[in-house]
Amino acid sequence: MRQTVHIDQPESGHGERQSGDRSRADRPAVELGGDSFAVIGGPCAVESRSQLMTVATAVAGAGAALLRGGAFKPRTSPESFQGLGREGLELLAEASRATGLPVVTEVLDPRDVELVARHAAMLQVGSRNMQNTPLLREVGRSGLPVLLKRGAAATLEELVLASDYIRREGNDRVVLCERGVRSFDPATRYLLDLAAVPALRALTDLPIIVDPSHGTGRAELVAPMARAALAAGADGLMIEVHADPAAALSDGPQAMRPAEFADLLVELRRLAPLLQRRWVRALSRDRATSRPLDDEVIAP
Ligand code: PEP
Ligand code: MN
């Protein structure tokens, strides 16, 4: 039996809620797995309010299901931008309220799980922490869905065993993410292992998504790999988007521009039904961003 994972927009305590909050019926929720196909889009890192709002609005308007953005960044060098921390989380919560998109963001430290969980709808455990067992246990206890990314040198069995740490805490809402493994060839940042998608199906009942941004490290390779991931049976994608990639504080070379992202999503929405997939996005009746997409067919 394949699992579907529901991601709910938090009821309250999602950052500082404003008065006039939406009722339960209006709160968007999205579903990953089953016959659905969901795209997560957003910047690598939250850099500023205007940077995030620009991208969040574009990502919502393009028909994505979730917003991503790192407030705690796992950088290779301690000299690099480490993220805005708590301020970044507050901006993400604000962007989520403004667009209606639930937010997924990375937590690096078990001590921050509670803080991050107050601002996000889904917690991300990054590649570098796939086998950080105290963190896996803590996110397992958080009660929120978890996006678990494959370590850059982890086998698929190790990835599934890492997901078992989360599930042992009573949390079955786990989504696995293939994001590329180390190879000998510097032509791409990592080697995107698309065979991992069907191979993982035999090992786990969890939804599986693909991150072609980190998987290639090159913006021009993201669209072809995104199409291939859908064809390979992925349940969704995670894609980095930045309005000015050259000025990005992290991962600029792999960021799509908003217009490129929107074009890709139009294409994927057309392909999805051919592959027996249903396009999923956060729906909330009272949001401008939830107007039907230009090319969207709404069932009567
Ligand atoms: C990310 O998605 O922000 C990220 C840091 O990716 P990874 O953990 O796959 O390197
Ligand atoms: Mn990144």
Side-chain angles (χ1 to χ4, degrees), residues 43-45 68-70 72-74 106 124-129 149-150 177 179 189-190 211 214 238 240 251 254:
C44 177
R68 64 149 287 144
F72 294 102
K73 294 305 301 175
E106 180 160 357
Q124 177 172 322
V125 173
S127 198
R128 291 159 186 78
N129 274 316
K149 299 189 81 174
R150 180 185 184 180
C177 180
R179 47 76 73 207
R189 184 179 181 190
Y190 293 97
D211 170 356
H214 293 89
M238 174 178 257
E240 289 189 346
D251 288 352
Q254 69 195 35

Side-chain angles (χ1 to χ4, degrees), residues 56-78:
T57 308
V59 159
L66 283 106
L67 174 67
R68 64 149 287 144
F72 294 102
K73 294 305 301 175
R75 303 306 299 283
T76 302
S77 165

Side-chain angles (χ1 to χ4, degrees), residues 215-285:
T216 63
R218 292 170 51 183
E220 72 276 22
L221 303 183
V222 170
M225 290 300 97
R227 293 190 287 264
L230 169 60
D235 297 302
L237 294 163
M238 174 178 257
I239 294 177
E240 289 189 346
V241 185
H242 199 289
D244 185 3
L249 298 180
S250 64
D251 288 352
Q254 69 195 35
M256 290 190 114
R257 290 191 166 76
E260 295 165 340
F261 179 77
D263 288 348
L264 171 62
L265 264 57
V266 167
E267 219 182 323
L268 293 172
R269 263 200 309 283
R270 288 186 189 136
L271 282 172
L274 301 177
L275 294 149
Q276 286 75 51
R277 290 284 176 171
R278 196 167 43 83
W279 192 265
V280 167
R281 66 192 181 106
L283 270 178
S284 122
R285 273 167 280 144

Side-chain angles (χ1 to χ4, degrees), residues 125 136 139-140 146 148 162-171 174:
V125 173
L136 295 173
V139 296
V146 177
L148 177 63
S163 73
D164 287 344
Y165 271 91
I166 301 170
R167 301 178 87 170
R168 268 179 82 104
E169 301 300 325
N171 187 352
V174 184

Side-chain angles (χ1 to χ4, degrees), residues 9 22 28 30 39-43 51-68 94-103 239 241 257-259 261-262 265-266 269 279-284 287-296:
Q9 191 69 302
R22 281 167 278 163
V30 298
V39 177
I40 305 170
Q51 171 252 9
L52 180 64
M53 291 304 164
T54 303
V55 171
T57 308
V59 159
L66 283 106
L67 174 67
R68 64 149 287 144
E94 189 183 326
S96 177
R97 288 192 298 268
T99 59
L101 296 185
V103 159
I239 294 177
V241 185
R257 290 191 166 76
F261 179 77
L265 264 57
V266 167
R269 263 200 309 283
W279 192 265
V280 167
R281 66 192 181 106
L283 270 178
S284 122
R287 297 281 141 176
T289 48
S290 287
R291 281 192 308 259
L293 302 162
D294 289 348
D295 62 336
E296 192 169 46

